[in-house]
Amino acid sequence: GNSVTQMEGPVTLSEEAFLTINCTYTATGYPSLFWYVQYPGEGLQLLLKATKADDKGSNKGFEATYRKETTSFHLEKGSVQVSDSAVYFCALAQSTSGTYKYIFGTGTRLKVLA
Amino acid sequence: EPEVTQTPSHQVTQMGQEVILRCVPISNHLYFYWYRQILGQKVEFLVSFYNNEISEKSEIFDDQFSVERPDGSNFTLKIRSTKLEDSAMYFCASQGQQILPQLQHYEQYFGPGTRLTVT
């Protein structure tokens, strides 16, 4: 079945460091891909998305490119801030019975130090 | 901006009791979902709902679980007899009309979650 694999956390960085969180997927067809962020004590917020190969999703300085050839959707940010500390989830949308369930990765906790 | 709301934010119940978790999806959305996240683990799909019936359910969604949309606005998840292992954060999500054949607009909007603690 479809699955999402994320790099293990936690990831600890200093402010202004470069961030990469790896995400690879296994899927039939070409699913849409998403990154969600969960701040402490809060729910899931959509960070960015890409719906087809070579699409680049971007938001708040974060970027991810849908790479069909490597089945990857790695999250990057050039300069992280303390406020980026959160758990990041990679997900894909799988079509079944007319609806789209999301399959999430295990999440990667990011801690940014001042 | 429209948002999905969930009540209560935190529910504590005793094992064996029934609980109902409530969600108000975005008003013009047609597809509804429940997910759960056991503390420290990944978010797992429970059930999808469309046109007043379940479209798909996971292995987790056994006979103790049920969903309904009683009044056209609320979307509820009922656990008939809670177990300790039901303790988790439960997220509701809704999704707007899918546009065929491109099927690009199926972003799900998540609520803030209900933390269920079974003692």
Side-chain angles (χ1 to χ4, degrees):
Chain A
N2 293 357
S3 65
V4 174
T5 302
Q6 276 183 249
M7 63 185 288
E8 294 278 336
V11 173
T12 303
L13 296 172
S14 298
E15 208 165 22
E16 299 182 5
F18 184 85
L19 168 71
T20 300
I21 300 178
N22 289 338
C23 171
T24 57
Y25 68 90
T26 302
T28 53
Y30 305 106
S32 284
L33 301 173
F34 306 85
W35 277 99
Y36 278 81
V37 58
Q38 185 179 35
Y39 296 103
E42 298 186 14
L44 298 167
Q45 299 177 27
L46 178 67
L47 182 59
L48 53 84
K49 66 182 179 183
T51 57
K52 60 184 187 297
D54 300 325
D55 267 3
K56 178 186 281 189
S58 61
N59 186 27
K60 299 180 182 178
F62 291 90
E63 292 183 343
T65 301
Y66 190 139
R67 301 282 188 204
K68 187 179 68 172
E69 63 277 11
T70 54
T71 61
S72 65
F73 193 54
H74 305 320
L75 182 68
E76 297 182 335
K77 186 175 186 182
S79 176
V80 294
Q81 305 300 312
V82 172
S83 56
D84 293 327
S85 298
V87 180
Y88 292 81
F89 291 92
C90 185
L92 65 82
Q94 175 179 314
S95 170
T96 50
S97 307
T99 56
Y100 286 84
K101 73 178 184 186
Y102 279 17
I103 296 175
F104 285 88
T106 52
T108 302
R109 182 174 299 278
L110 170 66
K111 185 173 183 180
V112 180
L113 305 175
Chain B
E1 185 175 331
E3 60 181 15
V4 177
T5 59
Q6 289 185 245
T7 54
S9 58
H10 191 192
Q11 173 91 46
V12 180
T13 189
Q14 289 190 328
M15 196 166 52
Q17 295 296 304
E18 174 183 288
V19 294
I20 298 176
L21 309 183
R22 291 183 167 79
C23 168
V24 179
I26 294 173
S27 63
N28 61 347
H29 282 187
L30 300 176
Y31 303 84
F32 312 107
Y33 304 82
W34 284 101
Y35 294 81
R36 80 170 186 191
Q37 183 185 28
I38 295 172
L39 187 63
Q41 298 185 26
K42 67 178 175 182
V43 179
E44 302 173 287
F45 168 79
L46 291 178
V47 65
S48 59
F49 190 86
Y50 170 69
N51 200 26
N52 284 320
E53 61 183 23
I54 290 173
S55 297
E56 185 185 359
K57 57 185 180 181
S58 71
E59 293 174 353
I60 304 166
F61 195 91
D62 62 22
D63 292 344
Q64 294 300 312
F65 290 86
S66 63
V67 290
E68 64 175 1
R69 196 150 186 259
D71 55 12
S73 61
N74 291 285
F75 179 51
T76 62
L77 174 69
K78 181 193 292 186
I79 309 175
R80 194 167 299 118
S81 177
T82 51
K83 302 189 276 285
L84 294 176
E85 54 265 37
D86 293 327
S87 295
M89 180 75 90
Y90 289 80
F91 292 105
C92 172
S94 72
Q95 173 194 323
Q97 175 68 55
Q98 294 172 165
I99 300 173
L100 297 171
Q102 295 302 317
L103 294 176
Q104 290 189 3
H105 298 277
Y106 38 76
E107 175 184 327
Q108 292 180 19
Y109 293 81
F110 285 79
T114 293
R115 180 166 298 286
L116 176 65
T117 302
V118 182
T119 61

